[in-house]
Amino acid sequence: MGRLLGSTDKSQSVLHCRGRVLGLERPVVMGVLNVTPDSFSDGGRFVRLDDAVARGLQMVEEGAAIIDVGGESTRPGAQPVSLDEELHRVVPVVARLRPRTRAVLSVDTSKPEVMHAAAAAGADMINDVRALRQPGALEAAVLSGCSVCLMHMQGEPRTMQDSPSYEDVVAEVREFLGQRVDACLAAGLPAERLVLDPGIGFGKTRAQNLELLRHLGQLSVKDLPILAGLSRKSLVGALTGRPASERVHGSVALAVIAALNGARILRVHDVTATADALKVVSALQNS
Ligand code: 7PM
């Protein structure tokens, strides 16, 4: 178990996101803003821009410190999205949110062109489930000035849940994250801009996800802050027997456990519920 009461965690307590400095002394919420046609639909293939922007601003009101704008579905089995499509989904949302909020704007992408265009539109953070492994991504991230979330994934979204396999999941995820941190530092992306993520559900069985959650504090490399995404995932479904629309309570319980075990950023759909729960956690951690 990590840090139940009192603070023994010495992980980096700020994150440099271009012009912004995000305080991580207390765990914060990253709100998920999916801009895929199945989320803000006009009934066809276009995302309704006004609705997506309104939802982003609502999440800030609800207590999100970061809004994570994503145009590529990384769900298991999902098909890849073209560059043009992703640019058209993500960049206008970032550009419209930017003048309306001081929250950190994150873009959920693996494509260097999207990183570049989103930063030009005002994004401060890159959330890459492929940890900057696509050609050109590392260079684009360095130049953007954005902070970067480096996530572990075994395989690719389309097939990653087919047969996840590890000898020691905690050691292997830590080893991978350490290699990606070294690649970032060598390329000129300083530690103050990095966040690490075990990638819950990305090529992991239920037992492997729980093992990672239990040992979250041991996953960090160079005391970098940890982000965890558990919200509404199939892990919650497996533990509660509920469909995605009814996973709020299970998701909040997992977010609390993750925060107690050292996570500094919780990536969630249900911002109000999680922000309240994290206030309770931080009261314990800072008393
Ligand atoms: C299964 C797996 C279902 C993933 C849905 C998802 C994360 C992320 C996503 C995460 C970071 C979802 C997703 N999950 N980015 N993007 N960490 N950094 O729940 O855990 O939206 S996609």
Side-chain angles (χ1 to χ4, degrees):
M1 190 53 113
R3 44 202 293 267
L4 250 180
L5 294 173
S7 190
T8 52
D9 182 340
K10 55 182 174 56
S11 75
Q12 183 181 298
S13 62
V14 295
L15 186 65
H16 289 255
C17 312
R18 291 181 87 198
R20 269 157 249 269
V21 180
L22 178 66
L24 297 175
E25 302 85 4
R26 296 162 189 278
V28 301
V29 168
M30 168 189 262
V32 179
L33 187 61
N34 280 326
V35 287
T36 50
D38 50 325
S39 17
F40 292 99
S41 177
D42 65 346
R45 59 184 284 273
F46 297 103
V47 170
R48 295 208 30 178
L49 191 53
D50 291 349
D51 293 351
V53 171
R55 176 62 190 140
L57 295 173
Q58 183 188 18
M59 288 195 292
V60 175
E61 290 299 308
E62 291 174 357
I66 308 169
I67 301 300
D68 189 36
V69 183
E72 184 202 21
S73 181
T74 37
R75 283 170 192 288
Q79 293 300 322
V81 173
S82 76
L83 172 60
D84 257 13
E85 185 71 39
E86 206 182 322
L87 285 170
H88 278 102
R89 288 177 186 176
V90 164
V91 176
V93 176
V94 172
R96 280 173 171 76
L97 282 172
R98 183 68 293 162
R100 290 180 165 167
T101 179
R102 294 172 60 190
V104 170
L105 297 180
S106 164
V107 58
D108 189 340
T109 191
S110 297
K111 296 186 177 77
E113 298 88 345
V114 178
M115 294 172 188
H116 178 81
D124 317 287
M125 182 170 183
I126 294 164
N127 172 26
D128 184 3
V129 300
R130 295 180 185 80
L132 305 178
R133 284 178 292 162
Q134 299 287 80
L138 190 49
E139 294 74 12
V142 172
L143 287 175
S144 73
C146 290
S147 57
V148 178
C149 177
L150 299 169
M151 197 194 80
H152 176 272
M153 167 163 60
Q154 185 176 80
E156 269 291 306
R158 207 170 52 76
T159 52
M160 65 190 175
Q161 290 305 106
D162 292 354
S163 56
S165 151
Y166 302 85
E167 281 197 9
D168 178 341
V169 69
V170 174
E172 288 172 44
V173 170
R174 190 200 302 110
E175 170 69 19
F176 170 84
L177 293 173
Q179 286 172 7
R180 295 315 298 155
V181 169
D182 289 344
C184 287
L185 297 177
L189 224 170
E192 299 76 46
R193 283 166 53 191
L194 297 175
V195 182
L196 307 178
D197 183 343
I200 298 294
F202 286 85
K204 284 117 190 161
T205 63
R206 168 171 37 165
Q208 289 158 354
N209 286 320
L210 291 175
E211 185 74 3
L212 286 168
L213 192 56
R214 214 176 269 123
H215 299 285
L216 212 53
Q218 296 167 32
L219 282 176
S220 191
V221 175
K222 299 187 198 299
D223 296 324
L224 294 178
I226 293 175
L227 182 154
L230 298 141
S231 182
R232 300 187 189 173
K233 284 188 179 173
S234 53
L235 173 64
V236 186
L239 299 175
T240 61
R242 297 192 184 277
S245 61
E246 298 171 11
R247 294 179 186 166
V248 182
H249 308 288
S251 296
V252 171
L254 288 173
V256 166
I257 293 166
L260 288 173
N261 285 353
R264 294 306 181 100
I265 304 176
L266 286 306
R267 183 180 180 278
V268 307
H269 302 84
D270 303 290
V271 175
T272 306
T274 311
D276 276 7
L278 293 180
K279 283 180 189 167
V280 175
V281 171
S282 76
L284 287 173
Q285 288 177 333
N286 294 291
S287 61

